PDB file of all heavy atoms in Angstrom:
ATOM      1  N   GLU S  60      50.200  -9.959 -49.405  1.00  0.00           N
ATOM      2  CA  GLU S  60      50.675  -9.746 -48.039  1.00  0.00           C
ATOM      3  C   GLU S  60      49.577 -10.143 -47.053  1.00  0.00           C
ATOM      4  O   GLU S  60      49.820 -10.794 -46.042  1.00  0.00           O
ATOM      5  CB  GLU S  60      51.049  -8.258 -47.848  1.00  0.00           C
ATOM      6  CG  GLU S  60      51.804  -7.970 -46.565  1.00  0.00           C
ATOM      7  CD  GLU S  60      52.976  -8.903 -46.305  1.00  0.00           C
ATOM      8  OE1 GLU S  60      53.780  -9.163 -47.228  1.00  0.00           O
ATOM      9  OE2 GLU S  60      53.082  -9.385 -45.163  1.00  0.00           O
ATOM     10  N   GLY S  61      48.331  -9.789 -47.387  1.00  0.00           N
ATOM     11  CA  GLY S  61      47.182 -10.165 -46.568  1.00  0.00           C
ATOM     12  C   GLY S  61      47.004 -11.671 -46.503  1.00  0.00           C
ATOM     13  O   GLY S  61      46.646 -12.224 -45.467  1.00  0.00           O
ATOM     14  N   ARG S  62      47.276 -12.352 -47.640  1.00  0.00           N
ATOM     15  CA  ARG S  62      47.167 -13.820 -47.682  1.00  0.00           C
ATOM     16  C   ARG S  62      48.142 -14.450 -46.683  1.00  0.00           C
ATOM     17  O   ARG S  62      47.830 -15.413 -46.006  1.00  0.00           O
ATOM     18  CB  ARG S  62      47.521 -14.356 -49.085  1.00  0.00           C
ATOM     19  CG  ARG S  62      46.606 -13.887 -50.174  1.00  0.00           C
ATOM     20  CD  ARG S  62      45.464 -14.831 -50.412  1.00  0.00           C
ATOM     21  NE  ARG S  62      44.561 -14.259 -51.385  1.00  0.00           N
ATOM     22  CZ  ARG S  62      43.507 -13.503 -51.086  1.00  0.00           C
ATOM     23  NH1 ARG S  62      43.223 -13.228 -49.841  1.00  0.00           N
ATOM     24  NH2 ARG S  62      42.729 -13.024 -52.024  1.00  0.00           N
ATOM     25  N   LYS S  63      49.356 -13.888 -46.630  1.00  0.00           N
ATOM     26  CA  LYS S  63      50.379 -14.405 -45.717  1.00  0.00           C
ATOM     27  C   LYS S  63      49.902 -14.238 -44.269  1.00  0.00           C
ATOM     28  O   LYS S  63      50.002 -15.157 -43.452  1.00  0.00           O
ATOM     29  CB  LYS S  63      51.689 -13.639 -45.954  1.00  0.00           C
ATOM     30  CG  LYS S  63      52.879 -14.144 -45.173  1.00  0.00           C
ATOM     31  CD  LYS S  63      54.157 -13.490 -45.700  1.00  0.00           C
ATOM     32  CE  LYS S  63      55.334 -13.780 -44.798  1.00  0.00           C
ATOM     33  NZ  LYS S  63      55.336 -12.974 -43.567  1.00  0.00           N
ATOM     34  N   THR S  64      49.325 -13.059 -43.959  1.00  0.00           N
ATOM     35  CA  THR S  64      48.777 -12.787 -42.627  1.00  0.00           C
ATOM     36  C   THR S  64      47.683 -13.790 -42.288  1.00  0.00           C
ATOM     37  O   THR S  64      47.597 -14.303 -41.171  1.00  0.00           O
ATOM     38  CB  THR S  64      48.191 -11.351 -42.578  1.00  0.00           C
ATOM     39  OG1 THR S  64      49.210 -10.441 -42.976  1.00  0.00           O
ATOM     40  CG2 THR S  64      47.703 -10.982 -41.194  1.00  0.00           C
ATOM     41  N   PHE S  65      46.841 -14.097 -43.284  1.00  0.00           N
ATOM     42  CA  PHE S  65      45.731 -15.027 -43.077  1.00  0.00           C
ATOM     43  C   PHE S  65      46.256 -16.439 -42.785  1.00  0.00           C
ATOM     44  O   PHE S  65      45.765 -17.115 -41.881  1.00  0.00           O
ATOM     45  CB  PHE S  65      44.827 -15.047 -44.309  1.00  0.00           C
ATOM     46  CG  PHE S  65      43.576 -15.873 -44.139  1.00  0.00           C
ATOM     47  CD1 PHE S  65      42.506 -15.391 -43.383  1.00  0.00           C
ATOM     48  CD2 PHE S  65      43.439 -17.119 -44.735  1.00  0.00           C
ATOM     49  CE1 PHE S  65      41.343 -16.132 -43.222  1.00  0.00           C
ATOM     50  CE2 PHE S  65      42.284 -17.874 -44.581  1.00  0.00           C
ATOM     51  CZ  PHE S  65      41.238 -17.377 -43.825  1.00  0.00           C
ATOM     52  N   THR S  66      47.277 -16.872 -43.535  1.00  0.00           N
ATOM     53  CA  THR S  66      47.856 -18.201 -43.313  1.00  0.00           C
ATOM     54  C   THR S  66      48.437 -18.308 -41.909  1.00  0.00           C
ATOM     55  O   THR S  66      48.258 -19.315 -41.221  1.00  0.00           O
ATOM     56  CB  THR S  66      48.947 -18.503 -44.369  1.00  0.00           C
ATOM     57  OG1 THR S  66      48.394 -18.294 -45.666  1.00  0.00           O
ATOM     58  CG2 THR S  66      49.440 -19.938 -44.264  1.00  0.00           C
ATOM     59  N   GLU S  67      49.095 -17.247 -41.456  1.00  0.00           N
ATOM     60  CA  GLU S  67      49.648 -17.231 -40.091  1.00  0.00           C
ATOM     61  C   GLU S  67      48.514 -17.305 -39.065  1.00  0.00           C
ATOM     62  O   GLU S  67      48.619 -17.973 -38.034  1.00  0.00           O
ATOM     63  CB  GLU S  67      50.484 -15.961 -39.874  1.00  0.00           C
ATOM     64  CG  GLU S  67      51.816 -16.002 -40.610  1.00  0.00           C
ATOM     65  CD  GLU S  67      52.478 -14.638 -40.745  1.00  0.00           C
ATOM     66  OE1 GLU S  67      51.903 -13.630 -40.256  1.00  0.00           O
ATOM     67  OE2 GLU S  67      53.567 -14.584 -41.349  1.00  0.00           O
TER      68      GLU S  67
END
Side-chain angles (χ1 to χ4, degrees):
E60 191 49 46
R62 297 268 175 269
K63 185 169 170 283
T64 305
F65 186 76
T66 307
E67 287 164 0

